Amino acid sequence: MLELLNIKREVEKLSNILGKAEGCLNLPELSAKIQYLDQVTAQPDFWNNPTPAYETLQEIEYSIFYKHQQYQRWCSILEDIKAALELLELSADEQLLQEAQTNLTQLQQELETAEIRQLLSDPHDQKGAFLTITAEVDGVDAEYWAYMLLRMYCKWGESHSYKILLVEESCGDFAGIKFASLEIIGRYAYGCLKSETGTHQLQQISPFDVTNRLQTSLASVEVIPILAESVEWEIPEKDLEITLLRPQGNVNRPEIWVRVFHIPTGISVFCNQERSQMQNKEKALAILKSKLFAMPTAGYAYALAQGVELDKIQPRLIESLSNKLIREYILHPYTKVKDLRTNVETLAATEVLDGKIDFFIKAYLQQLNHTTSMTQEALDNSK
C-alpha cells in the first residue's frame, strides 16, 4: 500500500507538470508552425541551398517529435499509470506494479530532461558537443581519474540516446588516460554539458598504492559546441601548421593520424580515430574551428571580421574556464559529490560516476539563467 501511495503522489506531481507544459507548448500555434514549415519544404527551390534546407528539416523534426508527439506520448504514459493504479487498488499484482513503477521512472526522467532543455536559450545550446578530458598531472591516479570521468560522460550520453564518438585518446602509462576527446552528437548536448567545463577533483584511497594512502587527483574538462556547417568562414592557411604522418612500417596497419596547430593562438588538435588520414584532417579542422569560434574573445571569426590582431588572442584565456575547480568527488573517508558553484551535493557518489549528473546540470543552468536575468534587469534599470 505504501508503494501505491508513493506512486500516486508522484503521478499527481507529473500531472501538474504536464498541465503546465501544455500551456507552454501552445499546441495550436505549434500545429500552425508545422504546417508552415511543410509548405516551405514543398517549394521547388527548397534544396537549392542545402544548408538552410537541412536546418529547416531539423526544425520540423524537433517541432513534431520533441514538442508535439512527445507531449502526447507523455500523456499516454501517465494515463497508463493511472489505469494500472486503479487495477492495483482492486487486486494486488506484482507484475503490474513493477510495470507502473518502470513507466513512472521513465516519465520522470524524460520530463526532467525536458525541464532542463527549457533552460537552454543560447543559440549554441542546441548543438552537439566536443568534450575533452585531461589528467592535470602525470601519474597513474590522475590518469585513472580522467578515465573515470570519461566513463561517466559516456554513461550520461548513452542514457540520453546521444551518439558518442571517440575522436582522440592518449592512454596512461599504467592505467587510465592522459587525455581523451569525445564527439557527442545530438540536439542540446552542448547546452547540457557546458556545465561540466572546469576542473574536477577526486579524493579516494589510491587503488595503486600498497600503503593505501589517501590521494587527491585532478582532471580538467573542456566542452565546446560542434560548429554548424552554416557558419561559413575558413581559417587562413598561413595560420595553420598541419602534420601528416607519412606511411611507414606495417603497411597493413598504417598510421593515419593528423595534428593541426593554429599558430596565432597555440591551439593544437590531434585526431587519429577516423578511417582515413583525410577524414582525420577534416575532423581535426572541424574541432579547431569550433574551439576558435567559442573563444572568450567573442570568437575567432568575429575577430577576423573586426580586424582584431591575432596576437591579442591569448591561449591562456581559452584555458581559464577549464582551470577553475568546479566539483569535488569524495570517496573516502565518506562518499559525497559537491558542486562548488551551486553548492548542490549528494551522497550517491557511485550513481554520479555512473552518469547520473542531470541534477547538477539543472542546478547550474538555473543559476546561470538567474544570474543572466538579474544582469539584464540591472542593465534595463540603468537606461
Side-chain angles (χ1 to χ4, degrees), residues 26 45 59 85 98 110 138 149 167 200 241 282 314:
N26 195 341
D45 60 347
E59 182 63 24
L85 290 178
Q98 184 62 43
E110 292 187 15
D138 290 332
L149 285 174
V167 176
H200 298 243
E241 183 179 292
E282 291 174 356
Q314 300 296 326

Side-chain angles (χ1 to χ4, degrees), residues 140-186:
V140 65
D141 287 291
E143 291 166 0
Y144 191 67
W145 171 225
Y147 166 76
M148 291 170 68
L149 285 174
L150 177 67
R151 177 182 176 276
M152 181 180 80
Y153 291 120
C154 286
K155 288 278 190 180
W156 177 86
E158 290 167 2
S159 70
H160 289 77
S161 301
Y162 286 114
K163 183 178 181 181
I164 303 172
L165 302 175
L166 182 64
V167 176
E168 176 184 3
E169 182 182 36
S170 175
C171 295
D173 295 327
F174 299 102
I177 56 171
K178 294 180 183 294
F179 62 87
S181 291
L182 296 174
E183 182 178 7
I184 303 174
I185 302 171

Side-chain angles (χ1 to χ4, degrees), residues 250-285:
N250 187 347
V251 295
N252 294 320
R253 291 179 58 85
E255 293 289 342
I256 54 174
W257 59 260
V258 174
R259 187 183 303 279
V260 177
F261 179 75
H262 187 248
I263 298 169
T265 62
I267 298 175
S268 179
V269 177
F270 177 89
C271 190
N272 66 346
Q273 297 298 323
E274 299 297 326
R275 293 185 177 182
S276 71
Q277 199 165 60
M278 181 60 68
Q279 289 175 319
N280 278 325
K281 180 182 175 181
E282 291 174 356
K283 180 67 69 177
L285 286 170

